[in-house]
């Protein structure tokens, strides 16, 4: 299955794509995570991305398109993948299609704005692995350490009120219109309850 997960910042794309990837036994590809890794390694892409991510702006289309096209061409994507956070502009969606990359289904996680703010304000992420927590809704068992690898939990640099505001504006302007581009491939799931409840709704909506 070639699936895209879309939705506003903090709706749960990363959390749900990690769970679905295990269920479906396919890799999850998060463009946000790839860019943060590039920043941490100090690569050319990372140096460029840092200027945008820290302001809550989108990284230029050409930069991210090349990163994604290289990644989905790798062997582990032969049986499918879940793309988290790409495409985010019409130009990115068109570039995928032009490169002959088909999409089977687009999962759109729909979350009200007040819930988004709460999810982002309480999010903690592992400083080493992709694990994501929430201080009240999805806490780590040990409080400030990752349950998976034991590394300290941190707050993402772009989870501050000013940057969150920019990210939400850019989502409404540039990314929400991409959902219409996919027409009847879109499966919309409202996320209101716990992580587990959202996963159940998603699996049901996808017929898995
Ligand atoms: P990212 O990293 O893709 P965003 O802003 O799209 O960033 P983000 O913040 O990573 O999305 P998410 O993945 O949708 O949010 O949400 P999450 O981390 O899984 O969950 C958020 C919180 O809610 C967590 O605390 C989690 O525990 C909790 N939670 C999750 N699900 C549930 C649930 O069902 N119930 C409850 N109660 N809680 C839940 O991109 C970052 C930046 O990279 C650049 C941009 O600059 C972007 O701002 N970038 C791109 N630029 C250009 N083009 C692209 N394609 C780009 N991709 C990334
Ligand atoms: Mg994410």
């Amino acid at each position: 299955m070639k699936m895209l997960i879309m939705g506003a910042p903090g709706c749960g794309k990363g959390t749900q794509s990690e769970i679905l990837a295990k269920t479906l036994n396919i890799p999850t590809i998060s463009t946000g995570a790839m860019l943060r890794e590039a920043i941490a390694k100090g690569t050319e892409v990372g140096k460029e991305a840092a200027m945008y991510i820290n302001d809550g702006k989108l990284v230029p289309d050409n930069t991210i398109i090349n990163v994604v096209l290289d990644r989905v061409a790798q062997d582990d994507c032969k049986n499918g993948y879940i793309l988290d956070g790409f495409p985010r502009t019409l130009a990115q969606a068109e570039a995928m299609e032009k490169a002959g990359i088909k999409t089977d289904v687009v999962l759109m996680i729909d979350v009200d704005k007040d819930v988004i703010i709460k999810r982002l304000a309480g999010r903690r992420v592992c400083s080493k692995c992709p694990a994501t927590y929430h201080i009240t809704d999805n806490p780590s068992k040990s409080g400030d350490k990752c349950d998976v690898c034991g590394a300290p939990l941190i707050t993402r640099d772009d989870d501050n009120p000013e940057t969150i505001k920019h990210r939400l504006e850019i989502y409404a302007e540039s990314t929400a219109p991409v959902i219409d581009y996919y027409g009847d491939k879109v499966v919309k799931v409202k996320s209101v309850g716990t992580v587990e409840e959202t996963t159940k709704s998603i699996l049901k909506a996808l017929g898995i």
Side-chain angles (χ1 to χ4, degrees), residues 13-15 30 36 84 123 156:
K13 299 182 295 295
T15 302
S30 158
R36 283 186 288 278
D84 157 15
R123 173 164 60 185
R156 252 170 62 173

Side-chain angles (χ1 to χ4, degrees), residues 49-58 157-158 160-170:
M51 297 190 289
Y52 297 91
I53 291 188
N54 295 340
D55 284 342
K57 292 181 185 154
L58 293 179
D157 287 343
D158 56 350
N160 64 76
E162 182 74 358
T163 310
I164 289 173
K165 188 169 166 275
H166 275 149
R167 287 159 63 199
L168 289 170
E169 283 164 2
I170 287 175

